[in-house]
PDB file of all heavy atoms in Angstrom:
ATOM      1  N   GLU I 158       2.161 -94.364  11.665  1.00 97.00           N
ATOM      2  CA  GLU I 158       2.503 -93.534  10.496  1.00 97.00           C
ATOM      3  C   GLU I 158       1.227 -93.078   9.775  1.00 97.00           C
ATOM      4  O   GLU I 158       1.119 -91.933   9.330  1.00 97.00           O
ATOM      5  CB  GLU I 158       3.380 -94.360   9.552  1.00 97.00           C
ATOM      6  CG  GLU I 158       4.360 -93.514   8.763  1.00 97.00           C
ATOM      7  CD  GLU I 158       5.291 -94.390   7.941  1.00 97.00           C
ATOM      8  OE1 GLU I 158       5.979 -95.247   8.522  1.00 97.00           O
ATOM      9  OE2 GLU I 158       5.288 -94.210   6.714  1.00 97.00           O
ATOM     10  N   LYS I 159       0.253 -94.018   9.701  1.00 97.00           N
ATOM     11  CA  LYS I 159      -1.005 -93.737   8.990  1.00 97.00           C
ATOM     12  C   LYS I 159      -1.773 -92.602   9.700  1.00 97.00           C
ATOM     13  O   LYS I 159      -2.253 -91.656   9.075  1.00 97.00           O
ATOM     14  CB  LYS I 159      -1.839 -95.022   8.965  1.00 97.00           C
ATOM     15  CG  LYS I 159      -3.048 -94.931   8.100  1.00 97.00           C
ATOM     16  CD  LYS I 159      -3.760 -96.261   8.005  1.00 97.00           C
ATOM     17  CE  LYS I 159      -5.181 -96.027   7.502  1.00 97.00           C
ATOM     18  NZ  LYS I 159      -6.151 -96.904   8.088  1.00 97.00           N
ATOM     19  N   GLU I 160      -1.840 -92.716  11.034  1.00 97.00           N
ATOM     20  CA  GLU I 160      -2.561 -91.684  11.811  1.00 97.00           C
ATOM     21  C   GLU I 160      -1.835 -90.343  11.737  1.00 97.00           C
ATOM     22  O   GLU I 160      -2.460 -89.292  11.636  1.00 97.00           O
ATOM     23  CB  GLU I 160      -2.664 -92.124  13.279  1.00 97.00           C
ATOM     24  CG  GLU I 160      -4.023 -92.687  13.620  1.00 97.00           C
ATOM     25  CD  GLU I 160      -4.186 -92.978  15.109  1.00 97.00           C
ATOM     26  OE1 GLU I 160      -3.482 -92.386  15.959  1.00 97.00           O
ATOM     27  OE2 GLU I 160      -5.031 -93.811  15.405  1.00 97.00           O
ATOM     28  N   GLU I 161      -0.494 -90.405  11.775  1.00 98.00           N
ATOM     29  CA  GLU I 161       0.300 -89.171  11.698  1.00 98.00           C
ATOM     30  C   GLU I 161       0.013 -88.438  10.382  1.00 98.00           C
ATOM     31  O   GLU I 161      -0.251 -87.235  10.373  1.00 98.00           O
ATOM     32  CB  GLU I 161       1.795 -89.500  11.843  1.00 98.00           C
ATOM     33  CG  GLU I 161       2.646 -88.255  11.693  1.00 98.00           C
ATOM     34  CD  GLU I 161       4.122 -88.466  11.997  1.00 98.00           C
ATOM     35  OE1 GLU I 161       4.458 -89.113  12.993  1.00 98.00           O
ATOM     36  OE2 GLU I 161       4.922 -87.927  11.207  1.00 98.00           O
ATOM     37  N   LYS I 162       0.023 -89.190   9.300  1.00 98.00           N
ATOM     38  CA  LYS I 162      -0.241 -88.623   7.966  1.00 98.00           C
ATOM     39  C   LYS I 162      -1.620 -87.981   7.920  1.00 98.00           C
ATOM     40  O   LYS I 162      -1.814 -86.886   7.398  1.00 98.00           O
ATOM     41  CB  LYS I 162      -0.167 -89.727   6.908  1.00 98.00           C
ATOM     42  CG  LYS I 162       1.106 -89.686   6.116  1.00 98.00           C
ATOM     43  CD  LYS I 162       0.998 -90.593   4.897  1.00 98.00           C
ATOM     44  CE  LYS I 162       2.390 -90.776   4.317  1.00 98.00           C
ATOM     45  NZ  LYS I 162       2.558 -92.092   3.720  1.00 98.00           N
ATOM     46  N   SER I 163      -2.584 -88.698   8.501  1.00 98.00           N
ATOM     47  CA  SER I 163      -3.966 -88.211   8.469  1.00 98.00           C
ATOM     48  C   SER I 163      -4.102 -86.901   9.276  1.00 98.00           C
ATOM     49  O   SER I 163      -4.822 -85.980   8.870  1.00 98.00           O
ATOM     50  CB  SER I 163      -4.866 -89.344   8.974  1.00 98.00           C
ATOM     51  OG  SER I 163      -5.968 -88.863   9.622  1.00 98.00           O
ATOM     52  N   ILE I 164      -3.386 -86.803  10.397  1.00 98.00           N
ATOM     53  CA  ILE I 164      -3.459 -85.570  11.205  1.00 98.00           C
ATOM     54  C   ILE I 164      -2.777 -84.402  10.471  1.00 98.00           C
ATOM     55  O   ILE I 164      -3.266 -83.270  10.480  1.00 98.00           O
ATOM     56  CB  ILE I 164      -2.870 -85.801  12.623  1.00 98.00           C
ATOM     57  CG1 ILE I 164      -3.749 -86.812  13.380  1.00 98.00           C
ATOM     58  CG2 ILE I 164      -2.760 -84.490  13.407  1.00 98.00           C
ATOM     59  CD1 ILE I 164      -3.191 -87.301  14.701  1.00 98.00           C
ATOM     60  N   ILE I 165      -1.675 -84.700   9.800  1.00 98.00           N
ATOM     61  CA  ILE I 165      -0.995 -83.648   9.006  1.00 98.00           C
ATOM     62  C   ILE I 165      -1.935 -83.165   7.891  1.00 98.00           C
ATOM     63  O   ILE I 165      -2.068 -81.961   7.651  1.00 98.00           O
ATOM     64  CB  ILE I 165       0.359 -84.162   8.448  1.00 98.00           C
ATOM     65  CG1 ILE I 165       1.344 -84.383   9.604  1.00 98.00           C
ATOM     66  CG2 ILE I 165       0.942 -83.194   7.412  1.00 98.00           C
ATOM     67  CD1 ILE I 165       2.656 -85.050   9.231  1.00 98.00           C
ATOM     68  N   ASN I 166      -2.610 -84.122   7.245  1.00 98.00           N
ATOM     69  CA  ASN I 166      -3.569 -83.753   6.185  1.00 98.00           C
ATOM     70  C   ASN I 166      -4.719 -82.916   6.756  1.00 98.00           C
ATOM     71  O   ASN I 166      -5.215 -81.994   6.110  1.00 98.00           O
ATOM     72  CB  ASN I 166      -4.136 -85.002   5.504  1.00 98.00           C
ATOM     73  CG  ASN I 166      -3.099 -85.670   4.628  1.00 98.00           C
ATOM     74  OD1 ASN I 166      -2.130 -85.033   4.211  1.00 98.00           O
ATOM     75  ND2 ASN I 166      -3.273 -86.953   4.369  1.00 98.00           N
ATOM     76  N   ASP I 167      -5.143 -83.252   7.979  1.00 98.00           N
ATOM     77  CA  ASP I 167      -6.212 -82.478   8.626  1.00 98.00           C
ATOM     78  C   ASP I 167      -5.762 -81.029   8.864  1.00 98.00           C
ATOM     79  O   ASP I 167      -6.519 -80.093   8.605  1.00 98.00           O
ATOM     80  CB  ASP I 167      -6.609 -83.129   9.968  1.00 98.00           C
ATOM     81  CG  ASP I 167      -7.563 -84.298   9.773  1.00 98.00           C
ATOM     82  OD1 ASP I 167      -8.133 -84.426   8.667  1.00 98.00           O
ATOM     83  OD2 ASP I 167      -7.743 -85.082  10.715  1.00 98.00           O
ATOM     84  N   LEU I 168      -4.532 -80.879   9.350  1.00 98.00           N
ATOM     85  CA  LEU I 168      -4.029 -79.510   9.585  1.00 98.00           C
ATOM     86  C   LEU I 168      -4.007 -78.733   8.270  1.00 98.00           C
ATOM     87  O   LEU I 168      -4.477 -77.576   8.213  1.00 98.00           O
ATOM     88  CB  LEU I 168      -2.614 -79.533  10.199  1.00 98.00           C
ATOM     89  CG  LEU I 168      -1.947 -78.160  10.275  1.00 98.00           C
ATOM     90  CD1 LEU I 168      -2.693 -77.242  11.252  1.00 98.00           C
ATOM     91  CD2 LEU I 168      -0.488 -78.256  10.676  1.00 98.00           C
ATOM     92  N   THR I 169      -3.492 -79.351   7.223  1.00 98.00           N
ATOM     93  CA  THR I 169      -3.428 -78.683   5.914  1.00 98.00           C
ATOM     94  C   THR I 169      -4.829 -78.270   5.458  1.00 98.00           C
ATOM     95  O   THR I 169      -5.034 -77.143   5.001  1.00 98.00           O
ATOM     96  CB  THR I 169      -2.780 -79.633   4.875  1.00 98.00           C
ATOM     97  OG1 THR I 169      -1.571 -80.122   5.443  1.00 98.00           O
ATOM     98  CG2 THR I 169      -2.478 -78.920   3.586  1.00 98.00           C
ATOM     99  N   ALA I 170      -5.795 -79.187   5.625  1.00 98.00           N
ATOM    100  CA  ALA I 170      -7.170 -78.890   5.199  1.00 98.00           C
ATOM    101  C   ALA I 170      -7.753 -77.728   6.008  1.00 98.00           C
ATOM    102  O   ALA I 170      -8.377 -76.820   5.449  1.00 98.00           O
ATOM    103  CB  ALA I 170      -8.034 -80.131   5.361  1.00 98.00           C
ATOM    104  N   VAL I 171      -7.524 -77.738   7.323  1.00 98.00           N
ATOM    105  CA  VAL I 171      -8.074 -76.685   8.190  1.00 98.00           C
ATOM    106  C   VAL I 171      -7.504 -75.319   7.789  1.00 98.00           C
ATOM    107  O   VAL I 171      -8.246 -74.345   7.629  1.00 98.00           O
ATOM    108  CB  VAL I 171      -7.786 -76.992   9.691  1.00 98.00           C
ATOM    109  CG1 VAL I 171      -8.094 -75.783  10.570  1.00 98.00           C
ATOM    110  CG2 VAL I 171      -8.604 -78.190  10.152  1.00 98.00           C
ATOM    111  N   GLN I 172      -6.194 -75.267   7.579  1.00 98.00           N
ATOM    112  CA  GLN I 172      -5.617 -73.946   7.252  1.00 98.00           C
ATOM    113  C   GLN I 172      -5.964 -73.500   5.836  1.00 98.00           C
ATOM    114  O   GLN I 172      -6.205 -72.315   5.606  1.00 98.00           O
ATOM    115  CB  GLN I 172      -4.121 -73.864   7.566  1.00 98.00           C
ATOM    116  CG  GLN I 172      -3.229 -74.804   6.841  1.00 98.00           C
ATOM    117  CD  GLN I 172      -1.807 -74.806   7.441  1.00 98.00           C
ATOM    118  OE1 GLN I 172      -1.620 -74.484   8.601  1.00 98.00           O
ATOM    119  NE2 GLN I 172      -0.829 -75.153   6.646  1.00 98.00           N
ATOM    120  N   GLU I 173      -6.048 -74.458   4.911  1.00 98.00           N
ATOM    121  CA  GLU I 173      -6.430 -74.095   3.528  1.00 98.00           C
ATOM    122  C   GLU I 173      -7.885 -73.611   3.457  1.00 98.00           C
ATOM    123  O   GLU I 173      -8.255 -72.865   2.565  1.00 98.00           O
ATOM    124  CB  GLU I 173      -6.248 -75.291   2.594  1.00 98.00           C
ATOM    125  CG  GLU I 173      -4.792 -75.495   2.192  1.00 98.00           C
ATOM    126  CD  GLU I 173      -4.581 -76.725   1.311  1.00 98.00           C
ATOM    127  OE1 GLU I 173      -5.572 -77.425   0.982  1.00 98.00           O
ATOM    128  OE2 GLU I 173      -3.419 -76.987   0.985  1.00 98.00           O
ATOM    129  N   SER I 174      -8.688 -74.060   4.423  1.00 98.00           N
ATOM    130  CA  SER I 174     -10.106 -73.657   4.426  1.00 98.00           C
ATOM    131  C   SER I 174     -10.317 -72.253   4.968  1.00 98.00           C
ATOM    132  O   SER I 174     -11.413 -71.723   4.884  1.00 98.00           O
ATOM    133  CB  SER I 174     -10.919 -74.617   5.275  1.00 98.00           C
ATOM    134  OG  SER I 174     -10.644 -75.924   4.940  1.00 98.00           O
ATOM    135  N   GLY I 175      -9.289 -71.704   5.609  1.00 98.00           N
ATOM    136  CA  GLY I 175      -9.394 -70.320   6.082  1.00 98.00           C
ATOM    137  C   GLY I 175      -9.648 -70.157   7.571  1.00 98.00           C
ATOM    138  O   GLY I 175      -9.965 -69.054   8.030  1.00 98.00           O
ATOM    139  N   ALA I 176      -9.504 -71.254   8.342  1.00 98.00           N
ATOM    140  CA  ALA I 176      -9.639 -71.131   9.805  1.00 98.00           C
ATOM    141  C   ALA I 176      -8.523 -70.225  10.329  1.00 98.00           C
ATOM    142  O   ALA I 176      -7.428 -70.188   9.762  1.00 98.00           O
ATOM    143  CB  ALA I 176      -9.555 -72.510  10.442  1.00 98.00           C
ATOM    144  N   PHE I 177      -8.815 -69.471  11.403  1.00 98.00           N
ATOM    145  CA  PHE I 177      -7.788 -68.554  11.932  1.00 98.00           C
ATOM    146  C   PHE I 177      -6.878 -69.230  12.952  1.00 98.00           C
ATOM    147  O   PHE I 177      -5.804 -68.717  13.289  1.00 98.00           O
ATOM    148  CB  PHE I 177      -8.423 -67.286  12.527  1.00 98.00           C
ATOM    149  CG  PHE I 177      -9.135 -67.502  13.849  1.00 98.00           C
ATOM    150  CD1 PHE I 177      -8.499 -67.236  15.055  1.00 98.00           C
ATOM    151  CD2 PHE I 177     -10.444 -67.976  13.876  1.00 98.00           C
ATOM    152  CE1 PHE I 177      -9.146 -67.428  16.264  1.00 98.00           C
ATOM    153  CE2 PHE I 177     -11.107 -68.187  15.089  1.00 98.00           C
ATOM    154  CZ  PHE I 177     -10.459 -67.915  16.277  1.00 98.00           C
ATOM    155  N   SER I 178      -7.308 -70.391  13.457  1.00 98.00           N
ATOM    156  CA  SER I 178      -6.545 -71.059  14.506  1.00 98.00           C
ATOM    157  C   SER I 178      -6.982 -72.517  14.578  1.00 98.00           C
ATOM    158  O   SER I 178      -8.042 -72.887  14.049  1.00 98.00           O
ATOM    159  CB  SER I 178      -6.824 -70.346  15.833  1.00 98.00           C
ATOM    160  OG  SER I 178      -6.152 -70.978  16.899  1.00 98.00           O
ATOM    161  N   VAL I 179      -6.173 -73.346  15.222  1.00 98.00           N
ATOM    162  CA  VAL I 179      -6.526 -74.760  15.336  1.00 98.00           C
ATOM    163  C   VAL I 179      -6.065 -75.317  16.683  1.00 98.00           C
ATOM    164  O   VAL I 179      -4.958 -75.022  17.138  1.00 98.00           O
ATOM    165  CB  VAL I 179      -5.932 -75.571  14.151  1.00 98.00           C
ATOM    166  CG1 VAL I 179      -4.402 -75.542  14.125  1.00 98.00           C
ATOM    167  CG2 VAL I 179      -6.428 -77.010  14.157  1.00 98.00           C
TER     168      VAL I 179
END
Side-chain angles (χ1 to χ4, degrees):
E158 210 175 303
K159 189 175 162 216
E160 259 187 23
E161 177 173 315
K162 256 192 193 147
S163 149
I164 295 171
I165 292 173
N166 288 338
D167 279 345
L168 171 66
T169 310
V171 168
Q172 61 191 25
E173 281 177 1
S174 311
F177 73 97
S178 178
V179 63

